[in-house]
């Protein structure tokens, strides 16, 4: 995972305070998030036991409240190297410290997701499918047929792709662009994006809230899922390239011109959504 932080429990950094609160029983005086009760009572930060990106993220959430959660999730949508798999459990962790209402965190996280997705949808709509298609067919191994198959696939499965794509790393941001290129109606896009984002945000924020100081468990398993997606994408690309190379070699062996139809006519991809 990107932005992996090593952090220690606040209980380890303040043993004296812990023992005083717990009557000598280690950990008994700590709230769910692992920050000593006297620190929170004195207005301390839930970021005290964290470091690096995690501490910075929690500080933003404490400073701006739920708006900070929405801001971080918005950044995740337009700049995928900031992973929601880290940001959302941290929002739950911050809520578990009493620094923020968990329902408000979920609501603003979803608002941030939708705003970021709409910007990418607008970018895709501005670029347009024909402009991208003209660029695509000039790339090695890509022909007009491939573009048509991709467009046909999105026309058939676009609704499910947008909804479930909100819960899949990498695709979470990217799926908004082809939706805009294919001119998916904005109201439909908003409904599908809001539904998918709400489910994803709720799962990770509630998990971070429940686990408290062990919020990184969510990040770890979400990281495994992200790595699995990346491996699957790489395998797909490698298989696709191998098959296309073989296809082009067969065409050349048969004396066929593999570039003669590589052009896009105006209006070739009429909007169907």
């Amino acid at each position: 995972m990107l932005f992996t932080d090593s952090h220690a429990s606040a209980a380890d950094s303040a043993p004296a305070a812990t023992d005083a609160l717990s009557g000598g029983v280690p950990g008994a005086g700590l709230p769910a998030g692992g920050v000593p009760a006297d620190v929170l009572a004195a207005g301390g930060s839930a970021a005290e036991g964290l470091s690096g990106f995690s501490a910075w993220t929690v500080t933003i959430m404490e400073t701006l409240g739920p708006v900070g959660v929405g801001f971080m999730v918005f950044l995740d949508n337009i700049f995928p190297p900031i992973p929601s798999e880290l940001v959302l459990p941290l929002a739950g962790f911050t809520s578990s410290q009493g620094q923020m209402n968990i329902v408000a965190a979920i609501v603003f996280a979803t608002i941030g997701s939708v705003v970021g997705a709409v910007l990418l949808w607008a970018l895709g709509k501005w670029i347009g499918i024909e402009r991208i298609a003209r660029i695509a067919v000039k790339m090695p191994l890509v022909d007009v047929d491939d573009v048509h198959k991709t467009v046909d696939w999105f026309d058939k499965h676009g609704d499910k792709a947008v909804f479930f794509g909100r819960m899949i790393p990498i695709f979470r941001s990217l799926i908004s662009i082809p939706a805009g290129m294919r001119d998916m109606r904005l109201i439909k896009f908003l409904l599908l994006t809001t539904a998918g984002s709400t489910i994803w945000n709720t799962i990770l924020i509630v998990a971070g809230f429940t686990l408290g100081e062990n919020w990184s468990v969510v990040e770890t398993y979400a990281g495994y899922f992200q790595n699995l997606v990346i491996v699957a994408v790489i395998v797909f690309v490698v298989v696709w390239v191998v098959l296309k190379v073989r296809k082009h070699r067969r065409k050349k062996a048969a004396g066929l011109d593999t570039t003669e139809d590589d052009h896009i006519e105006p209006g070739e991809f009429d909007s169907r959504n």
Side-chain angles (χ1 to χ4, degrees):
M1 282 290 294
L2 297 173
F3 299 111
T4 300
D5 291 290
S6 58
H7 60 280
S9 169
D12 295 331
S13 63
T18 300
D19 291 342
L21 288 166
S22 62
V25 179
L30 297 179
V35 178
D38 60 341
V39 173
L40 290 178
S45 170
E48 299 237 347
L50 306 177
S51 62
F53 180 77
S54 295
W56 178 70
T57 300
V58 171
T59 300
I60 287 179
M61 293 176 183
E62 289 181 328
T63 302
L64 300 179
V67 174
V69 179
F71 173 70
M72 294 303 298
V73 175
F74 168 78
L75 290 182
D76 159 56
N77 275 262
I78 62 175
F79 188 62
I82 296 179
S84 65
E85 295 84 357
L86 175 61
V87 171
L88 294 173
L90 280 171
F93 165 71
T94 305
S95 298
S96 75
Q97 304 302 305
Q99 305 291 309
M100 183 168 53
N101 181 276
I102 187 172
V103 175
I106 293 171
V107 170
F108 276 87
T110 302
I111 292 173
S113 297
V114 172
V115 172
V118 169
L119 286 180
L120 294 178
W121 174 89
L123 175 64
K125 186 176 177 65
W126 175 74
I127 294 173
I129 186 64
E130 288 190 8
R131 186 181 302 175
I132 288 296
R134 290 192 183 97
I135 296 173
V137 296
K138 297 182 186 303
M139 298 174 63
L141 304 179
V142 179
D143 52 41
V144 175
D145 226 21
D146 296 322
V147 178
H148 275 289
K149 287 178 182 178
T150 302
V151 170
D152 289 342
W153 182 91
F154 191 86
D155 286 340
K156 187 175 181 180
H157 303 289
D159 293 1
K160 290 179 284 187
V162 170
F163 174 74
F164 289 107
R166 301 304 307 172
M167 306 175 220
I168 300 177
I170 302 175
F171 293 99
R172 185 179 306 114
S173 298
L174 298 180
I175 193 60
S176 303
I177 298 176
M181 288 180 179
R182 202 62 187 124
D183 202 21
M184 175 180 282
R185 292 194 306 274
L186 182 57
I187 185 64
K188 178 195 286 188
F189 178 77
L190 285 173
L191 290 173
L192 293 170
T193 299
T194 301
S197 297
T198 301
I199 293 172
W200 177 255
N201 295 341
T202 300
I203 290 173
L204 292 189
I205 290 177
V206 170
F209 181 90
T210 303
L211 291 170
E213 67 173 344
N214 296 314
W215 61 268
S216 59
V217 172
V218 184
E219 179 199 1
T220 299
Y221 285 98
Y224 293 152
F225 179 47
Q226 182 179 34
N227 291 336
L228 181 63
V229 171
I230 292 173
V231 169
V233 170
I234 292 174
V235 170
F236 174 81
V237 171
V238 169
V239 171
W240 182 83
V241 169
V242 169
L243 293 177
K244 293 298 291 185
V245 168
R246 289 180 177 176
K247 178 180 177 181
H248 278 244
R249 284 178 177 175
R250 286 196 298 268
K251 283 187 174 182
K252 284 185 177 181
L256 299 175
D257 186 351
T258 59
T259 62
E260 59 181 1
D261 294 325
D262 285 356
H263 62 275
I264 303 295
E265 297 292 341
E268 188 166 343
F269 301 98
D270 59 319
S271 179
R272 303 175 194 175
N273 282 296

